Amino acid sequence: MTTLAPDTFLMCAPEHFEVAYIINPWMEGNIAHGDRLTAQGQWQELVHALRTVARVDCMPAAAGVPDMVFTANGGLVLGDKVILSAFKHVERQPEEAHFAAWFAARGLQVLRMPHGLHFEGAGDALLDRGSDLLWLGYGHRSELACAPVIADMLGIEVQPLQLVDPRFYHLDTCFCPLQGGYLLYYPAAFDVAAQERIAARVPSHKRFAVTQQDALNFACNAVNSGKHVFLNQASPALNAQLERWGFSVSQIALTEFMKAGGAAKCLTLKMNEPRPAQQVAAG
Ligand code: ARG
């Protein structure tokens, strides 16, 4: 039996975290309404919880980029490659150099999107956990035209999903593939074609449509490592469903980060995403 290396998540401490501008509906009314000490405590809780089952690597925080805590948006890692994000909003564009330097120092090959194409990394690009497939959310931040570029760069099938509700502006706010090919999602965040595409690829007994209330509590913005799920908050019904699928659920309040439009999953970037065996052999 082979022993698998533990999952490794990249995080960035909220030393400089604040709501300093508005680029999504969650941030409205929250400028200067954050409490950084509370944010630091909530972030530490998440780190502690993740470290019970996984590795957490931290990149240095930097002044002037308050959203860099949301490392999911740094890029998309697959094997030894990372596609660097090209942020839509100028406010987040200075993060790109920080992430590029971090990835290069870890020995990853840093790939860039063609000039002018917006792409927000693992916030919008999520690997399916049942088949060799990447889901790409587009419509708010990342662009549909990224799909063929990513497919070509990484040699993986990419299924685009149009996002239609501005509150769910990144795919990871409303869609969460889980180990074993399971899926949590909030169908109303997607257009009809996307809902059909999801139903065509994920069998109904393996997908669970969360309620609007769970979606607004960022239940889909969950970190999954093995049979463990870490999230801000889940209703008893959602907890029961996850337990039926064999997952243990840890709820960690991340309310300070929700003021900026993010929660558990946004605060992490999974660094070890091994290539499926056949692709490694082919490549
Ligand atoms: N304020 C950040 C933004 O609007 C939040 C990013 C949350 N990240 C995520 N992967 N959903 O870009």
Side-chain angles (χ1 to χ4, degrees):
M1 205 174 114
T2 46
T3 319
L4 293 176
D7 285 342
T8 301
F9 295 100
L10 174 64
M11 296 182 68
C12 176
E15 268 166 62
H16 299 281
F17 172 65
E18 62 177 328
V19 179
Y21 46 75
I22 296 166
I23 57 171
N24 71 54
W26 298 84
M27 300 174 102
E28 274 161 29
N30 280 326
I31 289 188
H33 276 76
D35 174 344
R36 193 172 292 151
L37 269 184
T38 306
Q40 285 171 339
Q42 293 182 341
W43 186 87
Q44 282 296 348
E45 289 282 317
L46 179 62
V47 172
H48 285 143
L50 289 175
R51 284 198 168 136
T52 63
V53 300
R55 257 187 73 162
V56 174
D57 277 358
C58 292
M59 63 187 282
V65 278
D67 273 337
M68 203 162 74
V69 289
F70 299 114
T71 51
N73 296 124
L76 167 67
V77 178
L78 189 61
D80 59 356
K81 296 182 177 155
V82 58
I83 304 181
L84 189 67
S85 288
F87 286 94
K88 176 174 176 178
H89 295 102
V90 284
E91 291 87 342
R92 295 201 65 183
Q93 288 167 3
E95 295 176 36
E96 291 166 18
H98 294 280
F99 282 113
W102 176 262
F103 295 141
R106 311 299 290 185
L108 290 171
Q109 185 186 345
V110 181
L111 307 174
R112 289 168 195 268
M113 279 291 170
H115 187 70
L117 198 53
H118 298 130
F119 173 62
E120 299 206 352
D124 273 331
L126 298 175
L127 289 161
D128 193 82
R129 300 299 178 188
S131 52
D132 187 15
L133 163 68
L134 182 81
W135 299 99
L136 175 75
Y138 71 94
H140 300 301
R141 301 290 182 89
S142 301
E143 297 178 64
L144 176 58
C146 296
V149 179
I150 298 172
D152 193 44
M153 280 177 170
L154 300 179
I156 189 168
E157 178 189 354
V158 179
Q159 282 285 340
L161 300 172
Q162 183 159 14
L163 298 168
V164 294
D165 182 331
R167 295 170 301 176
F168 303 103
Y169 57 93
H170 276 143
L171 184 62
D172 70 1
T173 62
C174 53
F175 188 91
C176 184
L178 298 169
Q179 181 185 285
Y182 297 100
L183 176 72
L184 297 181
Y185 72 127
Y186 178 54
F190 298 90
D191 75 352
V192 172
Q195 292 177 30
E196 288 172 356
R197 206 164 289 144
I198 295 165
R201 296 300 289 266
V202 185
S204 57
H205 70 281
K206 288 208 157 184
R207 64 186 139 85
F208 185 74
V210 307
T211 61
Q212 173 168 261
Q213 195 52 53
D214 272 326
L216 291 172
N217 285 329
F218 273 59
C220 294
N221 197 249
V223 183
N224 174 216
S225 182
K227 279 302 203 182
H228 305 276
V229 172
F230 304 86
L231 44 71
N232 173 64
Q233 196 182 320
S235 63
L238 175 53
N239 266 301
Q241 179 61 49
L242 286 166
E243 277 163 23
R244 270 196 294 279
W245 284 342
F247 294 98
S248 71
V249 183
S250 304
Q251 301 190 49
I252 298 133
L254 294 163
T255 48
E256 284 303 310
F257 299 97
M258 288 172 68
K259 293 176 183 172
K265 160 66 175 58
C266 309
L267 291 167
T268 67
L269 176 64
K270 196 162 170 226
M271 296 300 291
N272 57 317
E273 292 286 11
R275 298 303 318 249
Q278 112 226 25
Q279 307 238 0
V280 172

